[in-house]
């Protein structure tokens, strides 16, 4: 069985390649995803289908995007990562970022695993 550390790294690699199918292979059918931004916006969703829709939409929002894991601490079924996101907006975003503008954000992501797959992801930025 794949370690949670390897699973998180594979998920991020798929994210960076805009490989939504690859991302979905890393998560449970009932995956919970939450994104909390200090700009006051937050989003919660559940299930692979909902995650696929958001991942596809967000991939179109950036002409370039890259997430880098700066540090990762894992137990058997939980992981915490310090992450850096860099991107270039492909369109005007609801948070005020304009098309062509660069984004460079540091944050934290927390993962939980069940049955060898990621069952919960919480991103803070």
């Amino acid at each position: 069985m794949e370690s949670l550390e390897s699973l998180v790294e594979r998920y991020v690699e798929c994210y960076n390649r805009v490989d939504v199918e690859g991302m979905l292979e890393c998560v449970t059918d009932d995956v919970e995803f939450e994104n909390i931004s200090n700009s006051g916006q937050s989003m919660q969703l559940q299930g692979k289908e909902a995650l696929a829709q958001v991942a596809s939409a967000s991939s179109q929002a950036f002409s370039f995007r890259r997430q880098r894991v700066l540090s990762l601490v894992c137990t058997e079924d939980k992981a915490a990562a310090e992450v850096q996101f860099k991107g270039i907006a492909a369109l005007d975003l609801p948070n005020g970022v304009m098309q062509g503008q660069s984004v460079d954000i540091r944050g934290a992501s927390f993962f939980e695993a069940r049955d060898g797959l990621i069952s919960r992801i919480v991103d803070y930025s």
Side-chain angles (χ1 to χ4, degrees):
M1 186 185 298
E2 187 174 14
S3 72
L4 181 54
E5 180 176 359
S6 296
L7 191 59
V8 168
E9 290 171 352
R10 183 161 56 103
Y11 178 86
V12 171
E13 287 170 9
C14 290
Y15 174 90
N16 287 337
R17 288 194 315 263
V18 192
D19 177 3
V20 175
E21 287 301 316
M23 292 170 62
L24 297 179
E25 290 174 4
C26 298
V27 302
T28 60
D29 288 340
D30 64 345
V31 65
E32 295 177 35
F33 177 80
E34 187 170 0
N35 183 286
I36 302 163
S37 170
N38 66 10
S39 68
Q41 298 176 341
S42 68
M43 170 182 45
Q44 289 183 302
L45 56 90
Q46 185 167 5
K48 272 188 175 182
E49 186 176 315
L51 181 60
Q53 291 174 359
V54 167
S56 294
S58 69
S59 70
Q60 296 175 18
F62 292 92
S63 58
F64 165 82
R65 68 176 193 180
R66 176 80 47 207
Q67 190 175 62
R68 188 166 66 114
V69 176
L70 302 174
S71 63
L72 180 63
V73 178
C74 296
T75 65
E76 188 173 311
D77 62 349
K78 291 185 175 42
E82 179 185 8
V83 296
Q84 179 179 31
F85 173 87
K86 289 186 176 188
I88 299 173
L91 44 92
D92 294 345
L93 302 175
N95 64 0
V97 175
M98 304 303 286
Q99 181 180 1
Q101 195 172 5
S102 295
V103 177
D104 188 348
I105 301 170
R106 287 180 77 149
S109 294
F110 298 90
F111 301 86
E112 293 179 21
R114 183 179 73 244
D115 301 327
L117 295 170
I118 297 168
S119 59
R120 186 164 192 251
I121 305 167
V122 180
D123 291 334
Y124 292 91
S125 60

